Structure formats: structure tokens, C-alpha cells
Amino acid sequence: MQSIRNIAIIAHVDHGKTTLVDKIIHASKIFRENQEFNDLLLDNNDLERERGITILAKNVSVRYKGIKINIIDTPGHADFGGEVERVLKMADGVILLVDAFEGPMPQTRFVLGKALNLGLKPIVVVNKVDKENCRPDEVHESVFDLMFNLGATEDQLDFVTMYGSSKQGWMGPDFRNPTDSILPLIDAIVEHIPEAPRPEGIPQMQVTSLDYSAYQGRIAIGRVFRGELKEGANMALTKADGSIKKVKIKELHVFEGLGKLKVESVSAGDICAVTGLDDFEIGDTLTDAENPEPLERIAVDEPTMSMLFTINNSPFFGKEGKFVTSRHIRDRLMKETEKNLALRVVETDSEDKFLVFGRGILHLSVLIETMRREGYELQVGQPQVIFKEIDGQKCEPVEILVVDVPEATSGKVIELVTQRKGELLIMEPKGDLQHLEFNIPSRGIIGLRNNVLTATAGEAIMTHRFKAYEPYKGPIPGRLSGSLISMETGTTTAYAIDKLQDRGFFFVDPGEEIYMGQVIGEHTRGNDLTVNVLKGKKLTNMRASGSDDNVKIAPKINFSLEESMEYIQGDEYLEVTPKSIRMRKIYLDENERNRMSKKETVA
């Protein structure tokens, strides 16, 4: 039986994780000499490449000296925390990749902490030692300090360190003596990462992630922890509620290079993909039909937030997108639920409106951003948390919010969180940072991340996990200022914007096309104000010296997709098209808005 190593790679954005995997793949001669390949093989969607966050964990494998190495790519972002823990369960060791100049970064800390708690053996790779001003020795010390602060064991602290440059394709134990290949790193993996155990007995495979194929349906991916799986075998699938379902393995695939290889059997220690299982969930165990033995379940966070998705019915609809009908949007959302675990879609009583339930703002925004890039036009409503009635009492989702922040700014963070009904549970030093833990309603987290990062100069690390439904905590202060709304459809003029600057801040520049009812700025007061930003200066043949040519307009405020989602009010929609993001009132006509608000007041 061949020896197997399962290794996960942890790194911060832009530290070279994907480039390193590329070089390992090339070194193991997966590509034929004449075959062409692209760089960044793993981050294969544009969104991942741009944001620098691996959203979906991927698997590749290489063979070296008769040993199979399964490489598992991990998402580095805390909002995909559920994904991280599941993925690390498949590994026996981790490569921690850090930049020789920047050193370990905040997000690395989150994933590394999870890996150390699971008892995984680390190998540290200090990358980019060819950069100017790099400081490999100091970075090595800071990695040691970080692991010590995260409570690593003595065995974990006795880690091997490799230095090199993924881009130039070399790694070695000493950065002063560059080698000519990446093979010393692969040798270190083989030598120091424990071999995957191969226990015999009743087969057990836990489903840790899933894939979807138009031909084969849903595909279960996971590691075989014990025994052997065989093609065509009758097995049992143990579910979350304790029930056991009889299933049959249709096909088995192992990961080979960048693709999959069909095999007849998979033994313990390897990672495989199984087709033919319908109706499975993450955490289910595939085991023997006669003597089922389930593994301990992995928790998948349940959705805590919902957003209304609807067709784009603004005056500018259909100008930029290819897919604009409710049928297009329904089909796309249903396709997403096949492989996006924490996402649920519920149809409403209206044909063109869908309620989409997700884990948080980032989770939902990645879906919206992916859809707009694919050519969809849609509108989304204000994010809402999901309330439940338990024993006759209104309850809301409460999350445990963990913030690690430098001591100097911890006071600001506590103030921001308590304003949003957060309760401080724990405050303790954690190495060089203050570790804060809060109970906070999910409503309070909307819009909080930006405020916290601003207050801490970007140094706070925020993670939140769903805790439970608890009694409603009362109103939370939202946005204090009203909206500036366009009175007419047309092109904005510098003259009109200049004259209205004392009324608020604008989200549009002169010369932009806008429509009636579009939210074009933030009012300085709490009420909404309808303004005309289209009118030009009355033209006469007299020239007023000194006042005509000195229009000074503050630059418009640019919102990212997430910021826009957090900014809109309950009576507003966010219009999302492949090229634009616009905020608008649900009712574009001012008279209709007034009529509807009176109806709501009466009701």
C-alpha cells in the first residue's frame, strides 16, 4: 500500500500560497512537457483572484518518490470559518506560509489557531526572501511567538522552517544559500508530516465538502478514516437526526493531479469523491450497512440572515445584464444551493421575489457579486436577521463575537459593540493582543466590521459564530441620517450638486445618468429629502465674475457591495447590474412613497 500525506496550506492574502502550489505541481511533473498551463491554478474564479480570499476549499494531489501527497487549500477568511474547520479535519499536517517582509498576519492567526487545536503538525515556509527589505530571521521568530501565544504543544513548536521564493521556484533550509528547486520542501513534507494512519475495520468516511456535476448530481467529498470503500458496495449513511439511510456507491474517484481518477476502491487515509449518494449533508458518515458506526458530526453554521432577491424593475433595467427575468434568477439561485452549504432559498407568494438565507453579509455578497459577473441583473432588499418565536417569546439569533485587538484600541471596540447591545463576556491578554469575547445579536453585527476596522486602523481580527436564539434584546440604533433622493430622471450637473452640498454628501458625480427615486446621497438630517440635481444655470449673456468658474465639488462617496448592503434602509433596494450598483427607494414616485408610509402608520 502506498504511503499518503494529507497537508493543508494556510496563508494570508498575497503571501504566495497559490503560486507555491503551482510550483509543487510543476515539480512533480503533472503537466506533460508540451502542455500549456496558467498560473494560479487553484484560484480559478475571478472573485477569488481579486479579493485574494480562497472561498471554496479545493483539493489537488502530487506523487513524489512513490508517496502520494494530498494538498488541501484552505479559505483564509473568517466568514468562511465553518469551511475552514471541516477542511482541516481531512489533514494530518499544515504548511504555514508567511511573507518574509510582512510576517504572520491577522487572518493567518484565525486559521492557524484552529489547526493547532486539532493537533496538526506545522511546517513553516518563509516565502519571498528575494524581496527587498525582507527580514526572514525576525519573521521566523514572530511565527514562533505566534504559535506560543496560540498555545501550541512542544512538538508543534519544534517545527521545520523552509525559506525561499515560490515565484523563482526554490526552497531550502537557509535563505542565504538559494537552492535550484522546490524539492527540499517536498522532502520536508515527506519526512516531517505524519503518514496518514490506515486503520482496518468497519469503513468510515465523513462528508466534509461537496461538489456538483450536471451529469452526476451532488458529489460527496471526504476522507476515509477507517477501512475501505468499494465501488458498487451497499453502505449506510448516518444522518444528523440519528436516522440511517441505505445507499449504494455508484462511482469512486480519488484526486490525482488537478483532476480526479476513477478507482474501484479507496482505503483509509486517502481523500475521495463519491457519486450516487442522494440527499446527504455535510457531517454525515458513510459506513457499513450491517454495523453502522458514525463519526462525531461536524457542525455547519445555520443561516442567521435573510435578504429579499427580486428582478430589476428600475428605469435602467436590461441595459447591462444578459439575465434579467425571474426564471433566470430562480434557476441560478437553485443551482447555488446544490453546492453552497449554508445557503437556503425560499420562494415567496410573488413570482419574482425570493428569500435567500445565508451566514452573513460577506456570504451573501459573494453570491451577489458572482451573479453580477455572470451577467445577472437583480435587486436586493435590506439584510434581515431571522426571528423565531420560542415558548411564546420573540427570539433573535445571538452570536459569539471574538475580537483580537491591540490593547490601545480595545476601549473603542468595547464601546462600539456595547452600543449595539453586545455584552462583554471575556477580556484577557492573548500574547501581544487583547482578546475580547461578546454576546451580540446578529442585527448588531450588520455594519459593525467597517466601524471596528476604522477605529482600530485595520488591526482588529473579528470572527463570529452563531450561538443560539435568545430573547429579543430591543431596538438597536441604525443609520442616523436620511437619504437624498432624485426628483427626476436625467444627467446630473455640477451646478446643481454644488448648490446642494450643504444638504449632505453625494454618491454621484456630475454627468452621471440617474432616475427618479434613486438614492443619490446622504442627508445631514434624519429625514429623507427629494432634490433636483439636474437643473443647470440660467444662461444669460452677463457673466458674474468670480462665481461662475469656481464650482468646487467634494468627490462622491464610493461604496463597495458589502457597504451598500449594510447601508440601505428598510424602504430601499440595492440595484445590482454587471457594471453598476445603485441604491433606490422601493417606490420611486414621491407621492406613492408618502401614500405607502401613511398606510404603514395606520396599520
Side-chain angles (χ1 to χ4, degrees), residues 10-227:
I10 300 173
H12 189 73
V13 180
D14 285 340
H15 280 198
K17 171 170 66 171
T18 313
T19 312
L20 178 69
V21 176
D22 287 355
K23 290 295 189 274
I24 292 175
I25 289 169
H26 298 158
S28 61
K29 303 284 189 290
I30 281 179
F31 291 97
R32 296 192 307 276
E33 296 300 323
N34 61 350
Q35 192 174 348
E36 292 199 6
F37 52 83
N38 295 322
D39 281 345
L40 302 183
L41 299 159
L42 287 185
D43 282 356
N44 50 12
N45 75 39
D46 296 339
L47 198 54
E48 292 188 314
R49 290 177 182 224
E50 273 174 40
R51 288 176 179 236
I53 55 175
T54 297
I55 296 164
L56 304 165
K58 302 167 193 67
N59 300 59
V60 292
S61 82
V62 296
R63 288 184 184 278
Y64 179 69
K65 294 183 177 170
I67 292 171
K68 181 176 183 184
I69 302 171
N70 283 316
I71 300 169
I72 307 157
D73 198 13
T74 60
H77 200 285
D79 254 44
F80 301 97
E83 185 108 359
V84 170
E85 284 177 71
R86 289 199 311 276
V87 167
L88 291 176
K89 282 257 170 78
M90 295 197 279
D92 298 303
V94 292
I95 289 181
L96 173 66
L97 184 69
V98 291
D99 185 300
F101 174 68
E102 292 178 351
M105 301 291 276
Q107 299 238 296
T108 320
R109 194 182 188 108
F110 169 72
V111 188
L112 181 64
K114 299 269 184 219
L116 294 175
N117 289 343
L118 288 168
L120 301 180
K121 173 84 177 170
I123 287 180
V124 174
V125 174
V126 179
N127 192 21
K128 305 191 182 181
V129 296
D130 53 326
K131 271 170 80 169
E132 282 182 37
N133 304 328
C134 67
R135 40 192 193 97
D137 285 337
E138 286 175 48
V139 166
H140 177 257
E141 281 175 32
S142 60
V143 170
F144 184 89
D145 292 345
L146 173 62
M147 288 203 194
F148 183 77
N149 290 334
L150 289 171
T153 62
E154 282 194 23
D155 182 47
Q156 286 170 328
L157 286 173
D158 185 23
F159 55 82
V160 175
T161 306
M162 292 304 231
Y163 301 90
S165 163
S166 305
K167 198 171 178 186
Q168 294 177 358
W170 68 269
M171 286 284 155
D174 183 0
F175 62 90
R176 294 175 194 85
N177 299 323
T179 59
D180 55 0
S181 81
I182 206 120
L183 295 179
L185 172 62
I186 307 180
D187 286 326
I189 293 173
V190 169
E191 188 180 338
H192 297 286
I193 297 298
E195 184 180 342
R198 321 292 289 272
E200 302 281 319
I202 292 171
Q204 286 178 316
M205 179 200 120
Q206 190 158 39
V207 181
T208 43
S209 61
L210 52 89
D211 201 353
Y212 180 76
S213 145
Y215 303 106
Q216 297 168 312
R218 296 170 84 210
I219 301 168
I221 297 173
R223 174 172 169 174
V224 182
F225 284 94
R226 191 169 73 193

Side-chain angles (χ1 to χ4, degrees), residues 214-417:
Y215 303 106
Q216 297 168 312
R218 296 170 84 210
I219 301 168
I221 297 173
R223 174 172 169 174
V224 182
F225 284 94
R226 191 169 73 193
E228 189 177 33
L229 299 185
K230 291 192 170 128
E231 188 181 58
N234 290 313
M235 308 288 284
L237 195 65
T238 58
K239 312 289 286 176
D241 55 9
S243 64
I244 294 171
K245 188 178 164 220
K246 295 278 189 278
V247 291
K248 184 173 182 178
I249 296 175
K250 194 171 167 192
E251 286 184 3
L252 281 172
H253 292 85
V254 291
F255 293 91
E256 193 65 51
L258 292 168
K260 295 193 189 107
L261 179 72
K262 187 172 177 299
V263 290
E264 287 180 7
S265 66
V266 180
S267 55
D270 209 347
I271 295 169
C272 68
V274 184
T275 58
L277 316 179
D278 294 325
D279 188 34
F280 63 84
E281 289 164 0
I282 296 298
D284 289 356
T285 304
L286 187 63
T287 181
D288 188 62
E290 304 302 319
N291 306 307
E293 284 190 21
L295 287 156
E296 187 186 341
R297 283 196 75 80
I298 314 168
V300 175
D301 298 334
E302 65 171 281
T304 53
M305 203 162 277
S306 73
M307 283 182 86
L308 183 74
F309 279 51
T310 178
I311 57 168
N312 184 11
N313 60 1
S314 83
F316 292 172
F317 90 99
K319 285 189 173 182
E320 297 171 2
K322 287 187 293 194
F323 308 112
V324 294
T325 66
S326 58
R327 182 178 61 82
H328 284 135
I329 292 173
R330 177 194 285 107
D331 292 350
R332 179 66 183 80
L333 291 174
M334 293 308 173
K335 185 179 155 204
E336 188 69 24
T337 56
E338 293 285 359
K339 59 178 190 296
N340 196 332
L341 311 168
L343 197 80
R344 288 211 313 272
V345 178
V346 177
E347 299 202 27
T348 62
D349 49 10
S350 165
E351 277 291 297
D352 50 19
K353 292 192 169 119
F354 308 92
L355 273 176
V356 179
F357 297 84
R359 257 296 296 144
I361 296 279
L362 183 70
H363 184 204
L364 290 165
S365 76
V366 165
L367 167 64
I368 296 168
E369 181 66 39
T370 309
M371 285 177 69
R372 72 183 278 229
R373 287 173 186 229
E374 290 170 3
Y376 286 83
E377 279 193 17
L378 64 149
Q379 292 183 144
V380 294
Q382 185 186 34
Q384 305 286 342
V385 299
I386 302 163
F387 293 103
K388 283 184 183 173
E389 192 159 307
I390 302 171
D391 302 331
Q393 195 173 19
K394 184 181 180 184
C395 293
E396 64 176 328
V398 171
E399 311 218 4
I400 292 176
L401 172 71
V402 178
V403 187
D404 290 332
V405 62
E407 199 171 345
T409 48
S410 59
K412 290 180 188 170
V413 173
I414 295 169
E415 185 185 345
L416 283 169
V417 178

Side-chain angles (χ1 to χ4, degrees), residues 487 516-517 529-530 587-595:
M487 193 183 284
M516 181 175 79
L529 183 68
T530 310
Y587 301 106
L588 298 175
D589 183 77
E590 190 177 5
N591 297 326
E592 197 179 352
R593 275 202 300 277
N594 294 337
R595 206 164 52 244

